[in-house]
Amino acid sequence: NLGEYEAARDSFIQALQQGSFFVNDIEEDISCYLASAYYKMGDYENAIVTYTNVLQISKKNDDLYYLRGVVQLEAGNLEAAIQDFDKSVSLNAKDCDRYINIYKALAQAGEKERGKTYLEQSSSLLKDKQTYEKGRILYYMEDYNGAVSILESLSEAGDNGATLYLGKSYEALGDMNYAASLYEKYLQTDETNGEVYNQLGLCKVNMGEYETALSCFQKGIATGDGEVMQELLFNEASAYEYVSDFSTAKTKFSEYLAKYPNDEVAKREYEFLKTR
């Protein structure tokens, strides 16, 4: 969680060396953490090998196929990734989040259209009562008006998850003011979600309210939400640029790159700041 992946790797390897002769749940968990550390280090080969070893004894673990697929994708092995993603959803066909996460991974890798096939597959499996899931799927399918029509009533009824995706949909439609008001509504009842602070901060950036945006990103970081921590830290560093505090921005990007050394965009930004 501190971004010290090499130290984490060494500790996990040492932990496995202290394990019993027979592989049990704790050895599996440690191996999965080890694979994650390799992945975060950019050592995709060892991450794939580690996940593959665990799958030898946990052949029906849909999470592991998904995780290995993500690493395969990062390593440039698209078809191997697709095979793992397909295996993952075949083992757990009702997990809407899995389809969405596969789409997001493929979209980030430049394979958005291929990713959409998973969204379509998920949509066909949803029951009529699963309106929140349908709204999310429509959002990722870029049918923002369709998402709004489903999520609006759920948000009014107090569903925070629907409020988040309703805000994202209005953002995509270009209505930053209303999207921001929805995120603020969410935070009135739950101040622990780093993603909401991040989205609110991005809205404020688009509205030119840079000081407020910076505060939002910092509040998001304070939640400790690991799912969006990388994005929050990047956006915080960028926000210091927006408020013309280039010295702090340079420091923040330096700290960011110590944790995420493979981010090419951050590297370019840091090089630019060194010339200011």
Side-chain angles (χ1 to χ4, degrees):
N1 285 329
L2 290 169
E4 299 173 10
Y5 304 123
E6 291 186 6
R9 173 203 60 194
D10 295 343
S11 292
F12 292 136
I13 289 173
Q14 188 175 359
L16 286 172
Q17 290 171 345
Q18 302 297 320
S20 65
F21 178 77
F22 297 101
V23 177
N24 54 37
D25 289 346
I26 187 66
E27 278 81 14
E28 286 189 40
D29 285 345
I30 294 169
S31 295
C32 289
Y33 283 122
L34 174 60
S36 180
Y38 281 131
Y39 169 63
K40 293 291 188 179
M41 292 167 56
D43 186 350
Y44 303 134
E45 182 179 353
N46 273 316
I48 292 167
V49 168
T50 305
Y51 279 130
T52 301
N53 289 340
V54 181
L55 280 165
Q56 296 302 311
I57 54 175
S58 189
K59 296 180 180 180
K60 294 187 177 181
N61 190 320
D62 59 288
D63 290 334
L64 291 179
Y65 282 106
Y66 164 71
L67 291 168
R68 190 175 67 175
V70 169
V71 182
Q72 294 279 18
L73 197 58
E74 290 283 353
N77 306 325
L78 176 60
E79 294 309 317
I82 294 295
Q83 289 180 15
D84 278 342
F85 292 152
D86 287 345
K87 183 67 174 180
S88 176
V89 296
S90 73
L91 291 169
N92 188 0
K94 296 181 180 180
D95 186 349
C96 185
D97 287 325
R98 178 56 44 79
Y99 293 96
I100 289 173
N101 287 334
I102 290 172
Y103 162 76
K104 289 164 71 174
L106 286 166
Q108 188 173 354
E111 296 288 339
K112 179 181 285 190
E113 292 307 311
R114 200 150 188 182
K116 283 185 177 180
T117 63
Y118 288 91
L119 296 178
E120 292 163 356
Q121 188 178 347
S122 173
S123 182
S124 68
L125 296 170
L126 293 176
K127 297 178 181 178
D128 290 339
K129 65 179 181 179
Q130 293 174 293
T131 50
Y132 166 62
E133 285 81 0
K134 284 186 177 181
R136 284 200 301 161
I137 292 295
L138 287 172
Y139 166 77
Y140 285 110
M141 291 287 288
E142 301 177 12
D143 181 359
Y144 304 120
N145 287 311
V148 166
S149 68
I150 288 177
L151 296 170
E152 197 92 62
S153 60
L154 293 174
S155 175
E156 290 173 358
D159 186 326
N160 272 352
T163 299
L164 171 58
Y165 278 90
L166 184 61
K168 288 184 174 185
S169 297
Y170 275 108
E171 262 192 271
L173 291 168
D175 192 340
M176 298 299 164
N177 282 301
Y178 190 56
S181 73
L182 288 166
Y183 299 137
E184 288 163 351
K185 170 188 171 183
Y186 184 112
L187 292 168
Q188 288 174 4
T189 58
D190 181 3
E191 297 181 345
T192 66
N193 192 322
E195 183 180 7
V196 180
Y197 281 112
N198 189 56
Q199 294 301 134
L200 179 57
L202 291 172
C203 281
K204 295 299 183 180
V205 167
N206 280 306
M207 295 160 67
E209 300 177 18
Y210 303 126
E211 293 283 358
T212 304
L214 176 59
S215 176
C216 290
F217 297 136
Q218 290 172 335
K219 288 178 180 177
I221 291 167
T223 67
D225 189 340
E227 293 295 318
V228 288
M229 187 57 67
Q230 181 175 356
E231 190 172 352
L232 282 163
L233 291 170
F234 181 94
N235 289 335
E236 180 198 27
S238 298
Y240 275 110
E241 284 190 85
Y242 295 134
V243 299
S244 300
D245 186 347
F246 300 113
S247 176
T248 303
K250 184 172 73 171
T251 299
K252 290 292 182 179
F253 271 115
S254 177
E255 294 170 352
Y256 174 90
L257 284 167
K259 291 185 176 182
Y260 311 105
N262 298 320
D263 190 325
E264 296 299 327
V265 175
K267 287 179 184 177
R268 291 194 295 271
E269 204 65 32
Y270 182 59
E271 289 302 316
F272 165 74
L273 286 164
K274 287 197 293 186
T275 67
R276 298 291 297 191

